Amino acid sequence: MTIETVGVVGCGLMGAGIAEVCATHGLDVTVVEADIAALEAGQHRISKSLARAVSRGKLSDEAVAAAKSRLHFTTDLDEMADRQLVIEAIIEAEGPKVALFKQLDQIVEADDAILASNTSSIPVMKLAMATRRPENVIGIHFFNPVPVMKLVEMVTSLLTSEETAEKAKAFAVGQLGKRAVASQDRAGFVVNALLIPYLLSGIRMLESGFASAEDIDDGMVLGCNHPMGPLALTDLIGLDTTRAVAESLYDEFKEQLYAPPPLLLRMVEAGLLGRKAGRGFYDYH
Ligand SMILES: NC(=O)c1ccc[n+]([C@@H]2O[C@H](COP(=O)([O-])OP(=O)(O)OC[C@H]3O[C@@H](n4cnc5c(N)ncnc54)[C@H](O)[C@@H]3O)[C@@H](O)[C@H]2O)c1
């Protein structure tokens, strides 16, 4: 069975990218945001990204018009009722995500509809147990920016059915053209369990005065051929999201290497969230 109708909840950095990619791959997409202002910001983010794809020769004007015609925006979660697959991409916080899965369980009608989360670090089981259909719940973890990054992590909980796992993988690989890796349901999955300690080490290095932000990033770009250094990458991910993922990892494993350093905490408290806020370790104004 191919997926034709998708719901995306949350249209921030990731939700916008997921909605865009689903629409450019021919799916009918309904996007839900918390309020009108966030909805308009999300819509704008998708339009900008599609325009960028045209200017880079990746999409034609016709393809963009067709993708836009497949996107529908709303603040009413009830519009998820007829979706075959709903992908949750709201803020990285367990309480709101659990509450949302409880609501989706009440709203989404088809018994075989898949309820997926794009969480970076919250165990899928916690979301699955908020529903009466844990066998239909799975993690489909995309990477930022979604239109560009090939990888998705497919995260099955102990209760995810084989049918759900197969359908979700066929969707990500067969329909969206992504490459999938499978991860067990452990906080951080494969990539963030490795990436987050590295980013936090970069922040600790800056905090201790060991080196400047530019030199830390240049070191990894020029010395290791990384496309960007750890501080620029933290700015791209969002400092709030990085902190939230670090906290989930720390909660799960109780390992010091996952503990967010005070500089990260203070910057989040100050609203210096990285690119999306115009300032993080670097200024984007
Ligand atoms: N930023 C990254 O690089 C990255 C990469 C992979 C996965 N993720 C994961 O994707 C998810 C979203 O992250 P993001 O970076 O897009 O965050 P973001 O802060 O850019 O966007 C979150 C959006 O969710 C909306 N929202 C919050 N509560 C809502 C609700 N109840 N209903 C509808 N919308 C709601 C907010 O208004 C906001 O627009 C998180 O779980 C995060 O861990 C992030």
Side-chain angles (χ1 to χ4, degrees), residues 224-274:
C224 296
N225 250 356
H226 286 194
M228 64 179 76
L231 302 170
L233 180 54
T234 305
D235 273 356
L236 180 72
I237 293 170
L239 273 67
D240 50 346
T241 302
T242 304
R243 180 186 73 170
V245 176
E247 281 171 349
S248 298
L249 282 158
Y250 186 76
D251 280 351
E252 176 112 320
F253 300 109
K254 306 288 185 289
E255 300 257 22
Q256 199 57 36
L257 80 166
Y258 298 120
L263 176 61
L264 177 63
L265 301 177
R266 286 307 92 74
M267 288 180 72
V268 172
E269 286 154 9
L272 305 175
L273 305 182

Side-chain angles (χ1 to χ4, degrees), residues 57-78:
K58 302 240 184 275
L59 285 178
S60 66
D61 287 323
E62 294 73 33
V64 166
K68 282 188 173 168
S69 74
R70 294 186 200 106
L71 283 160
H72 170 65
F73 296 87
T74 179
T75 54
D76 182 3
L77 195 63
D78 287 343

Side-chain angles (χ1 to χ4, degrees), residues 20 46-57 59 64 68:
E20 175 186 333
I46 295 175
S47 292
K48 248 175 59 185
S49 173
L50 286 169
R52 213 176 305 129
V54 171
S55 70
R56 289 183 183 160
L59 285 178
V64 166
K68 282 188 173 168

Side-chain angles (χ1 to χ4, degrees), residues 17-31:
I18 294 166
E20 175 186 333
V21 166
C22 289
T24 55
H25 286 79
L27 298 156
D28 175 279
V29 188
T30 298
V31 181

Side-chain angles (χ1 to χ4, degrees), residues 12-14 33-34 89-90 92 97 118 120 141-142 144 237:
L13 276 185
M14 294 303 293
E33 252 294 352
I90 68 168
E92 187 71 351
K97 281 195 197 286
N118 184 50
S120 304
H141 183 220
F142 292 84
N144 179 25
I237 293 170

Side-chain angles (χ1 to χ4, degrees), residues 140 152 154 167-180:
I140 307 180
V152 287
M154 307 299 304
K167 265 163 51 182
K169 187 170 173 190
F171 161 75
V173 176
Q175 294 188 249
L176 300 187
K178 297 291 185 193
R179 296 275 304 273

Side-chain angles (χ1 to χ4, degrees), residues 50-127:
L50 286 169
R52 213 176 305 129
V54 171
S55 70
R56 289 183 183 160
K58 302 240 184 275
L59 285 178
S60 66
D61 287 323
E62 294 73 33
V64 166
K68 282 188 173 168
S69 74
R70 294 186 200 106
L71 283 160
H72 170 65
F73 296 87
T74 179
T75 54
D76 182 3
L77 195 63
D78 287 343
E79 293 198 33
M80 296 287 107
D82 67 344
R83 303 286 99 183
Q84 294 171 292
L85 164 67
V86 177
I87 305 173
E88 169 276 314
I90 68 168
I91 43 165
E92 187 71 351
E94 190 179 317
K97 281 195 197 286
V98 166
L100 179 64
F101 271 77
K102 219 171 249 171
Q103 281 178 286
L104 287 173
D105 187 37
Q106 304 287 338
I107 292 168
V108 178
E109 283 165 4
D111 289 338
D112 61 350
I114 298 177
L115 305 181
S117 176
N118 184 50
T119 178
S120 304
S121 62
I122 295 167
V124 172
M125 185 66 83
K126 295 193 178 181
L127 309 176

